[in-house]
Amino acid sequence: MKFLIYRYNPETDDKPRMQPYELPDDCGAVMLLDALLLLRRQDETLGFRRSCREGVCGSDGMNINGRNGLACVVRIRDLRQPIAVRPLPGLPVIRDLIVDLTPFFAQYRAVKPWLINHDPEPEIERLQGPEERDRLNGYYECILCACCTSACPSFWWNPERFLGPAALLQAWRFITDSRDQATGDRLDDLEDPYKLFRCHTIMNCADVCPKGLSPTTAINAIRDALAKRVL
Amino acid sequence: MTGIARRRFDCLVIGAGGAGLRAALQLAQAEVSVAVISKVYPTRSHTVAAQGGINAALGNVRPDNWHWHMYDTVKGGDYLGDQDAIEYMCRAAPRLVVELEHYGVPFTRLENGRIYQRPFGGQSQNFGGEQAARTCAAADRTGHALLHSLYQQNLRAKTHFFDECFVLDLLVDQEGYVLGAFALEIETGEPIVFEAKATLLATGGSARLYRTTTNALINTGDGMAMVLRAGLPLEDMEFVQFHPTGIAGIGILISEGVRGEGGYLVNSRGERFMERYAPKALDLASRDVVSRAIYTEVKEGRGCGPNKDHVLLKLDHLGPEIIKSRLPGIRESAMIFAQVDPIEGPIPVYPTAHYTMGGIPTDRFGRVVAPVRHGPEEAVPGLYAVGECACVSVHGANRLGGNSLLDIVVFGRAAANHILEHLGEYRYHRPLPTGAAEPALARLERWAQSGPGESVDEVREALRLAMEQYCGVFRTQDVLEEGIRQVEALVQRMERARLKDQSKVFNTARVEALELENLMEIALATVYSAAARKESRGAHSRLDYPKRDDVGWLKHTLYYRDERRIDFKPVRTKPMTVDAFPPRERTY
């Protein structure tokens, strides 16, 4: 198997380069992460993040043959060779495949991603019917891997002001939660020409989400909620 | 230490999984200055991978009572658990699960709006009667839902986070006070000294010790190893839980929730073989029982597949609706990693290393305790531990599914409350003696040696293979002693290991070398403790000592790094307020 991997170490490199690597076809790697771990055995300077290796923690988001995804759940046999692996686009590169996620998590924090409820806490759980709970499906499962946001051209153009698909998906997760009482404030915060409305429904986010979620659907739902508020 | 950055907080929380985040939240809400240091972003912590749920006797689905939960936990742990801590946990459970719901955890719901609960292994009503339904679930992503909600609440409470910061060692003074920790900022490669009046370890388990494991690549027992290097013991390290249902060959977890929803195991003859091993509880027997049953089926030639090396977990009879609504993550994992859609066919499974029952000895207040000077359980001043890295011991010799998520929130909160008391008594930081960071600096220096040498990666893989072969599901004295020889030889090999990558910025090779040093300490603790315990109890199954021996061995092991010394301390068989559950034969 042949690979071309983005390499950049700020201590030694003036500019990034694509480095070729090779593994025997019978090396046993099924997922791209298996292969990267074997390559690191050859070359321990190759930097990338990884943790759960089963698609639930979001550490190993990267750009694989031009498409964002998690290395641990992308099968090598589905990829055209040489497999080109680059860091997630649109975020500052720290080293090799490792990007600076500070802007991404800042966007997350900006939507106040926590349940807000001002009532006195009941002794038992706050009741929520199965249909109300089902409204969270497709939103609460986000693993914050940044594949969606870093695939979004609107984010590339306005990283400072557009919140990006991941944060907006989180915003809707709380707006639509029957237990949350801050809907009005949340919508006020999002009613802004940039934060929300820079989404041009290109749908890269939904296309690349490794969990099969659709941030676009969340963004449209927020738009609808804002529109209904005006009517 | 001149030139090293120093940060000061009232309290330091090392590790940002459920236990660390629950503790940090309590501290931040009390307006204490608290820093959470984590070697990964908090949402990458291994809590995220917990699937099935969290136990609490809410009684939302079938009648339940915390006292029954307590009985099951004591029995499940093969009577090695400390009953005061178990009582504390089971009594606190309903309140703390409700609190999690208030924090925003999106639990699956019943028609009446209350939290959905599913049956899990080892659960009973009325002290050993009918199957209970005690596990509160958010589909099969309970850990993910819980971890994210706790992280979100910490963001709201403005907890200080030091993400991607690797802690090397504790800072301890002459009198044994723990005064903080020495860490490395991974992105810059710069060291930082964190000073704190109280330090809480919440660094998780160490099942990366085994070749086949459900654990994330980051589960390398860092906190436990720091404690060993500080001269303190680890407790009950011989008890490593093998989860019965990892995807065959790769170990990825298939939740016990599958069996809770009605899934069952079959061998190559299509038999539901659990009938032979646990006639009453069947597939919902305790995990140690089911793991041994699977291992035995395969060993006796009734395994499935071309190599007859696994059994099958069948759930297609549950129907697509149940699978899609309650086990969507499992379906996804099975399709990706086993190339099976469980709606249509069974999942190939085999036991896989899963949970570290032993760990840093603590009491039910989360204080780290050790036999120093006067008694067997004297608190180490300024040091706390919670979660999988700790051994309170609520899980005893075997953990019941759904009790680990509970353990982390109950004792995360309890430790934080005790830290608040401690902070009331210790108003000022004690002076950090010069040289407190020397051991940690020496560790960094050691990896700065360049030149030819072994690769860290090869030593690590040799260690994981040795542990699998010589300290697995079934054990004997000969095998364990060979395990000791092998691990000791690897310790020697490790001294010759060198790093080729000497760069500063985000040097993952250096982090992995430091992690392997930690794993090596844990491996020693595990094999030495296992060779010492000459009986079968819970997850520790000795073919040469097949019976449980309560006269000789109803006690905790303590392993010390120096001289590989083994010591013992009594089990706390007396609960807080109720009658004790005396040891009885365990049948399911």
Side-chain angles (χ1 to χ4, degrees):
Chain A
M1 324 169 179
K2 288 187 165 41
F3 302 84
L4 271 176
I5 301 184
Y6 180 100
R7 300 301 312 272
Y8 174 67
N9 180 338
E11 292 164 76
T12 51
D13 302 334
D14 295 331
K15 56 179 199 290
R17 62 184 192 282
M18 293 300 282
Q19 184 174 337
Y21 285 96
E22 212 164 317
L23 281 174
D25 283 338
D26 60 353
C27 65
V30 178
M31 301 296 174
L32 177 61
L33 179 63
D34 305 332
L36 289 174
L37 291 168
L38 289 173
L39 290 176
R40 186 138 85 194
R41 206 170 280 191
Q42 290 176 16
D43 174 4
E44 68 182 31
T45 68
L46 175 61
F48 55 90
R49 294 188 178 98
R50 81 289 175 277
S51 175
C52 75
R53 60 77 175 98
E54 57 184 17
V56 295
C57 83
S59 295
D60 59 354
M62 50 189 75
N63 186 272
I64 304 154
N65 278 353
R67 183 187 164 85
N68 291 353
L70 299 178
C72 59
V73 292
V74 169
R75 238 187 293 274
I76 293 170
R77 66 156 196 251
D78 298 339
L79 296 171
R80 188 171 25 82
Q81 292 187 24
I83 300 166
V85 189
R86 292 185 172 83
L88 290 175
L91 291 164
V93 174
I94 295 173
R95 172 181 179 164
D96 300 339
L97 302 174
I98 299 160
V99 291
D100 183 357
L101 290 167
T102 313
F104 176 78
F105 278 97
Q107 291 176 327
Y108 176 66
R109 284 195 302 274
V111 301
K112 297 197 174 79
W114 48 80
L115 191 82
I116 297 172
N117 186 308
H118 304 292
D119 292 342
E121 292 199 345
E123 280 176 69
I124 61 163
E125 58 267 49
R126 294 185 200 280
L127 300 182
Q128 182 175 54
E131 299 78 27
E132 290 172 321
R133 166 60 182 76
D134 284 351
R135 292 213 297 265
L136 304 180
N137 286 343
Y139 307 109
Y140 83 96
E141 302 94 327
C142 171
I143 58 173
L144 300 175
C145 64
C147 285
C148 60
T149 293
S150 63
C152 171
S154 295
F155 168 73
W156 301 337
W157 295 322
N158 292 293
E160 312 285 329
R161 299 172 74 182
F162 175 54
L163 285 170
L168 290 168
L169 178 120
Q170 289 293 333
W172 178 250
R173 178 250 173 274
F174 287 99
I175 291 169
T176 197
D177 193 322
S178 61
R179 301 167 295 173
D180 190 272
Q181 296 177 333
T183 302
D185 291 343
R186 292 181 191 279
L187 291 175
D188 288 347
D189 282 346
L190 294 169
E191 198 159 24
D192 174 289
Y194 279 90
K195 287 179 183 173
L196 173 78
F197 288 104
R198 285 289 129 167
C199 168
H200 297 304
T201 326
I202 300 162
M203 296 193 63
N204 276 10
C205 54
D207 185 44
V208 299
C209 176
K211 305 308 284 181
L213 312 181
S214 173
T216 310
T217 308
I219 292 168
N220 287 339
I222 299 173
R223 285 181 166 156
D224 284 352
L226 282 168
K228 279 203 192 100
R229 211 161 65 140
V230 179
L231 293 174
Chain B
M1 278 197 337
T2 44
I4 297 179
R6 282 166 84 137
R7 302 293 301 259
R8 261 187 177 197
F9 293 91
D10 289 329
C11 182
L12 197 59
V13 174
I14 304 174
L21 292 182
R22 181 62 189 81
L25 181 58
Q26 192 84 358
L27 292 161
Q29 283 173 341
E31 298 188 353
V32 160
S33 82
V34 50
V36 176
I37 310 181
S38 170
K39 68 176 173 179
V40 291
Y41 278 96
T43 51
R44 273 72 156 136
S45 303
H46 190 54
T47 302
V48 84
Q51 295 171 351
I54 175 167
N55 291 344
L58 295 175
N60 285 359
V61 171
R62 296 178 196 168
D64 210 351
N65 173 321
W66 69 262
H67 204 183
W68 304 344
H69 182 188
M70 179 182 171
Y71 167 80
D72 291 337
T73 303
V74 174
K75 175 188 169 189
D78 224 346
Y79 299 90
L80 193 74
D82 287 348
Q83 295 194 19
D84 61 331
I86 295 173
E87 177 181 341
Y88 181 84
M89 179 177 82
C90 297
R91 287 179 80 138
R95 191 155 70 87
L96 290 196
V97 168
V98 164
E99 197 174 66
L100 287 172
E101 194 283 326
H102 295 163
Y103 290 157
V105 176
F107 284 109
T108 302
R109 301 293 176 144
L110 298 163
E111 282 304 325
N112 65 10
R114 302 198 66 173
I115 296 170
Y116 167 71
Q117 296 186 282
R118 59 165 57 113
F120 246 57
Q123 297 179 349
S124 72
Q125 302 179 47
N126 280 311
F127 310 105
E130 293 294 298
Q131 174 71 41
R134 189 176 293 141
T135 304
C136 309
D140 55 1
R141 302 187 179 96
T142 316
H144 168 274
L146 192 155
L147 181 72
H148 279 241
S149 295
L150 285 174
Y151 180 53
Q152 293 161 353
Q153 289 297 323
N154 271 284
L155 293 179
R156 182 186 59 84
K158 299 193 167 57
T159 302
H160 294 266
F161 280 98
F162 291 85
D163 300 328
E164 302 199 313
C165 196
F166 185 81
V167 177
L168 274 83
D169 270 312
L170 297 169
L171 300 171
V172 188
D173 73 7
Q174 295 292 329
E175 287 153 84
Y177 280 80
V178 174
L179 304 176
F182 180 94
L184 196 65
E185 191 181 59
I186 298 174
E187 182 181 333
T188 59
E190 294 295 337
I192 314 183
V193 163
F194 286 92
E195 285 184 85
K197 295 179 236 179
T199 301
L200 173 75
L201 293 167
T203 53
S206 58
R208 268 285 138 188
L209 213 46
Y210 287 85
R211 192 169 59 147
T212 309
T213 173
T214 60
N215 278 206
L217 289 147
I218 56 172
N219 290 20
T220 52
D222 303 331
M224 298 182 205
M226 282 180 230
V227 159
L228 282 177
R229 283 192 295 268
L232 299 164
L234 291 184
E235 178 176 341
D236 290 343
M237 289 302 288
E238 62 274 35
F239 297 105
V240 178
Q241 178 166 71
F242 290 83
H243 194 289
T245 57
I247 293 178
I250 42 178
I252 282 170
L253 177 64
I254 298 295
S255 169
E256 188 171 332
V258 171
R259 284 170 286 140
E261 296 293 345
Y264 57 83
L265 296 161
V266 293
N267 62 18
S268 59
R269 298 179 188 167
E271 296 168 323
R272 283 192 72 172
F273 57 85
M274 282 312 299
E275 288 169 0
R276 282 199 287 280
Y277 303 88
K280 221 170 84 195
L282 299 174
D283 299 86
L284 287 180
S286 152
R287 287 182 179 172
D288 52 340
V289 175
V290 183
S291 285
R292 280 195 294 274
I294 295 173
Y295 188 93
T296 306
E297 287 297 307
V298 168
K299 206 174 76 179
E300 293 178 357
R302 294 185 294 279
C304 306
N307 301 320
K308 296 178 157 298
D309 58 357
H310 60 265
V311 298
L312 296 173
L313 176 60
K314 194 172 135 43
L315 61 158
D316 53 327
H317 59 282
L318 299 177
E321 279 316 303
I322 293 276
I323 293 173
K324 284 181 187 166
S325 64
R326 295 193 188 144
L327 305 165
I330 284 305
R331 181 169 177 234
E332 194 181 307
S333 283
M335 294 203 292
I336 294 173
F337 293 102
Q339 281 111 72
V340 172
D341 182 348
I343 289 177
E344 285 154 15
I347 309 173
V349 293
Y350 195 69
T352 166
H354 183 55
Y355 189 90
T356 318
M357 262 84 70
I360 305 160
T362 71
D363 61 14
R364 66 184 150 85
F365 308 103
R367 295 185 295 187
V368 175
V369 292
V372 280
R373 301 188 193 95
H374 309 295
E377 295 193 307
E378 272 193 66
V380 177
L383 187 61
Y384 294 78
V386 288
E388 192 173 343
C389 74
C391 181
V392 208
S393 119
V394 283
H395 308 306
N398 167 60
R399 178 179 66 84
L400 293 184
N403 269 355
S404 56
L405 288 182
L406 179 60
D407 167 358
I408 63 182
V409 294
V410 168
F411 294 104
R413 174 179 168 280
N417 283 339
H418 199 280
I419 287 170
L420 292 173
E421 268 180 49
H422 174 87
L423 293 177
E425 286 170 40
Y426 294 88
R427 300 274 308 279
Y428 304 101
H429 287 82
R430 289 170 66 91
L432 196 62
T434 47
E438 286 306 321
L441 284 166
R443 288 185 66 207
L444 279 182
E445 288 277 306
R446 177 257 172 278
W447 288 109
Q449 297 171 34
S450 49
E454 285 242 37
S455 99
V456 167
D457 213 72
E458 275 168 31
V459 180
R460 181 182 52 238
E461 294 317 303
L463 176 71
R464 297 177 64 204
L465 183 61
M467 290 301 290
E468 182 161 294
Q469 289 177 331
Y470 301 102
C471 204
V473 176
F474 284 104
R475 301 156 175 197
T476 65
Q477 197 67 30
D478 290 349
V479 166
L480 288 167
E481 279 172 11
E482 178 58 25
I484 288 175
R485 273 192 293 279
Q486 298 236 358
V487 177
E488 289 285 4
L490 286 166
V491 172
Q492 302 294 318
R493 268 177 71 181
M494 185 72 171
E495 285 175 17
R496 299 192 293 272
R498 294 288 179 274
L499 286 179
K500 290 182 194 74
D501 186 357
Q502 292 290 346
S503 60
K504 286 182 84 167
V505 173
F506 224 111
N507 185 333
T508 47
R510 174 162 28 222
V511 172
E512 286 179 14
L514 294 164
E515 287 177 329
L516 178 58
E517 284 185 328
N518 291 337
L519 274 180
M520 208 61 96
E521 304 281 9
I522 310 300
L524 289 167
T526 307
V527 282
Y528 275 99
S529 303
R533 183 176 290 273
K534 294 179 174 57
E535 64 156 352
S536 288
R537 185 186 296 270
H540 179 62
S541 188
R542 295 278 305 247
L543 293 168
D544 44 355
Y545 300 96
K547 289 259 182 278
R548 190 177 80 196
D549 171 10
D550 289 329
V551 178
W553 290 98
L554 188 58
K555 56 188 179 188
H556 297 293
T557 50
L558 294 175
Y559 164 87
Y560 290 84
R561 179 174 185 257
D562 289 345
E563 298 160 27
R564 321 288 193 231
R565 182 160 64 89
I566 298 282
D567 196 359
F568 301 98
K569 74 172 187 183
V571 175
R572 287 172 170 266
T573 49
K574 206 171 144 20
M576 293 159 65
T577 66
V578 295
D579 289 341
F581 294 106
R584 279 169 48 184
E585 199 194 340
R586 247 171 106 223
T587 55
Y588 285 99

